[in-house]
Amino acid sequence: MTVPAPLLVVGDALLDRDVCGRVERLAPDAPVPVVSGPRRATRPGGAALAACLAAADGRPVTLVTALGDDPDSATLRELLADRLELVELPLTGALSSKTRVLADGRPLLRLDDGEGRAREGTREAARVIAEAGAVLVADYGRGTADVLREALAGAAARVPVVWDPHPRGRPPVPGVRLATPCAAEAHAFAGPADDTEEAGHGSELHTAAQDAGRLVRAWRAASVAVTLGGRGALLSHGATPLLVPSPVTADGDACGAGDRFAATAAGLLADGELVETAVRGAVHAATRYVAEGGVRTLAMDPAPTEPAGPPSEGEPTDDALRTAARVRAAGGTVVAAGGCFDLLHAGHVALLQAARRTGDCLVVCVNSDASVRRRKGDGRPLVPEADRIRVLRALECVDAVAVFDEDTPERLLAELRPHIWAKGGDYAMASLPEAPLVESWGGQVVLFPYLDGRSTTGIAERAALAPRTRTPGTRPAAGSGRRSR
């Protein structure tokens, strides 16, 4: 099992509270909604949320932030205990907090309290920055990045630094590997276009592309990824940008999605991935985060002392079960699809994309090597189990992969309990032994149109019959019948 690389998060922590209820009437004394049956939740916010999200990935995380002697600072310390290593800076004033009032999951208003700011850096904070292998700066404009700016500039010159900026904060230090403003923040930082640039025609993508290119130059950053909400992100190195679209449209509470994006991108860069790969992974993670319920799915129970690494490519089932449980707990729809997926082809991809659009997460149940051999005979699978899992996980429409060793996936389905079991249209309901099981917990079997002419067997047969051509300049094989001179 590969343990993710450690990540240092530097920034301004907040304390977030949600008051959630239902609205069925207006108050008799004023035309305002009455929120009934309120439920209250408290969780880390700001840089502390980004750090918790990175730690939830199984990554060792250290958080450098400013905390004080006020009650909200004490509450946040308790929430962070045993989840990560905490390096504190002195705080002037009370910790900033925000309280959202939501009705049926939609915000009605927000109350902000506390104007505390980081007073000064410390030698301990400078030391952990100097020793870090990768840094995420979650700047919420409350001074932490300012008092450590010199140390952060030194880090940017030697290791990957991701900077998530805030309009109330200063620009990133020169040399950051990736800056991650949203579209509105990028436009505010970039300012009006100069005379050398083409006049914008008003589209969000055109404006974001111009803003990103200008910020790369102004900030002397290696790259800037402008996040576009449900549309994905636009990555620029200063010239022609790359649009990384969201795999699906995710409707839900987007609070914290920017932190999820930045934490994922920073973690992947810490693991040695390229910027393009990190941004693609971050878009996928942020989309899934919103689809699964956003901050409501961030469990704040005591964490294990030693963070567990992510499941290896050969042991994915636990991750699939956790994904299904999170989506179900958030009120989302769990979709599952199954098969051998020996040679992934267009028919497979069409089915998986269509299945993902019907719900909030897609778990692919894949036959083990032994199961494929029993079903398909000797010589199959053509692609071993670990490689099939890796290819499936690379699809943006796939949220998790689970493996079953039996001839049919009933045992695994009984654990996943999906709301929808997706099958290709070449199946008939009568030929699906798992259909009664899925229906027993209120699930539904859904058939999707079959893409004609695509099959693993057909591809393998055509490959075997294809004529072999000799590459020019190579010598003929021994026994080919050609005489040498």
Side-chain angles (χ1 to χ4, degrees):
M1 181 179 292
T2 302
V3 177
L7 180 65
L8 176 66
V9 179
V10 178
D12 308 298
L14 312 174
L15 186 67
D16 288 353
R17 296 183 176 91
D18 280 353
V19 180
C20 306
R22 63 184 185 277
V23 171
E24 298 171 340
R25 61 191 178 93
L26 297 178
D29 55 342
V32 296
V34 175
V35 179
S36 303
R39 304 180 307 280
R40 292 169 173 82
T42 303
R43 64 177 181 277
L49 174 59
C52 285
L53 291 170
D57 295 335
R59 190 176 299 281
V61 174
T62 300
L63 171 63
V64 177
T65 193
L67 295 175
D69 298 326
D70 56 287
D72 284 349
S73 291
T75 298
L76 185 58
R77 287 189 187 94
E78 293 178 4
L79 293 174
L80 298 176
D82 298 327
R83 291 186 165 271
L84 45 79
E85 182 180 347
L86 186 60
V87 176
E88 294 188 21
L89 304 180
L91 181 72
T92 299
L95 182 72
S96 297
S97 67
K98 65 175 185 284
T99 301
R100 300 190 305 166
V101 179
L102 302 96
D104 300 320
R106 297 184 179 278
L108 291 179
L109 60 89
R110 196 179 98 179
L111 307 174
D112 287 8
D113 291 304
E115 292 294 335
R117 291 186 63 83
R119 184 167 69 243
E120 60 187 1
T122 64
R123 281 182 289 184
E124 174 67 6
R127 180 189 66 79
V128 296
I129 293 173
E131 295 175 354
V135 182
L136 166 61
V137 180
D139 183 8
Y140 276 76
R142 289 164 173 83
T144 300
D146 293 342
V147 299
L148 296 171
R149 194 168 182 87
E150 182 177 349
L152 292 171
R158 61 180 183 82
V159 298
V161 173
V162 174
W163 196 292
D164 194 16
H166 191 282
R168 293 172 57 178
R170 294 173 64 186
V173 298
V176 299
R177 186 76 57 86
L178 177 67
T180 60
C182 69
E185 291 166 345
H187 197 57
F189 279 118
D194 58 38
D195 295 337
T196 64
E197 292 178 314
E198 176 187 354
H201 50 64
S203 78
E204 181 185 30
L205 288 179
H206 183 86
T207 301
Q210 282 196 341
D211 293 339
R214 295 171 62 203
L215 291 178
V216 167
R217 296 185 289 273
W219 288 346
R220 287 183 282 169
S223 57
V224 171
V226 178
T227 56
L228 303 171
R231 299 186 67 180
L234 194 73
L235 174 63
S236 175
H237 298 285
T240 303
L242 171 70
L243 176 63
V244 181
S246 297
V248 294
T249 300
D251 294 323
D253 186 0
C255 179
D259 297 299
R260 174 73 277 183
F261 181 94
T264 301
L268 290 172
L269 289 177
D271 292 338
E273 298 288 355
L274 298 174
V275 170
E276 289 80 358
T277 304
V279 170
R280 187 173 290 108
V283 168
H284 196 186
T287 302
R288 181 167 55 190
Y289 169 86
V290 174
E292 293 180 356
V295 289
R296 290 179 295 165
T297 64
L298 182 65
M300 293 313 299
D301 298 327
T305 302
E306 293 186 6
S312 70
E313 291 182 351
E315 302 171 350
T317 302
D318 287 345
D319 179 55
L321 293 173
R322 286 193 296 267
T323 297
R326 285 198 305 269
V327 173
R328 189 179 295 106
T333 298
V334 178
V335 184
C340 300
F341 300 101
D342 197 359
L343 287 178
L344 193 69
H345 54 70
H348 293 143
V349 174
L351 168 66
L352 297 178
Q353 288 176 329
R356 181 60 177 82
R357 287 193 291 268
T358 64
D360 299 299
C361 79
L362 173 62
V363 177
V364 178
C365 304
V366 63
N367 297 73
S368 69
D369 287 349
S371 177
V372 175
R373 277 193 295 272
R374 288 194 303 270
R375 290 190 57 191
K376 305 290 186 179
D378 293 337
R380 298 286 296 273
L382 302 170
V383 178
E385 178 182 309
D387 289 354
R388 289 184 284 131
I389 293 170
R390 185 169 186 174
V391 170
L392 286 167
R393 278 178 161 174
L395 296 178
E396 291 188 332
C397 59
V398 174
D399 296 282
V401 179
V403 179
F404 63 95
D405 198 45
E406 301 81 8
D407 293 338
T408 59
E410 282 123 316
R411 179 192 58 78
L412 179 56
L413 287 174
E415 295 184 77
L416 287 170
R417 298 176 69 86
H419 300 91
I420 294 175
W421 175 236
K423 299 297 292 184
D426 55 331
Y427 284 86
M429 290 293 291
S431 66
L432 288 175
E434 62 268 28
L437 176 67
V438 174
E439 293 167 356
S440 70
W441 58 72
Q444 181 181 6
V445 177
V446 177
L447 300 180
F448 291 88
Y450 184 71
L451 203 58
D452 289 334
R454 279 81 172 179
S455 75
T456 298
T457 301
I459 294 173
E461 290 176 349
R462 289 194 296 273
L465 294 174
R468 296 183 181 182
T469 58
R470 184 167 61 89
T471 304
T474 60
R475 300 180 63 180
S480 64
R482 177 172 296 182
R483 297 177 61 183
S484 60
R485 295 183 179 179

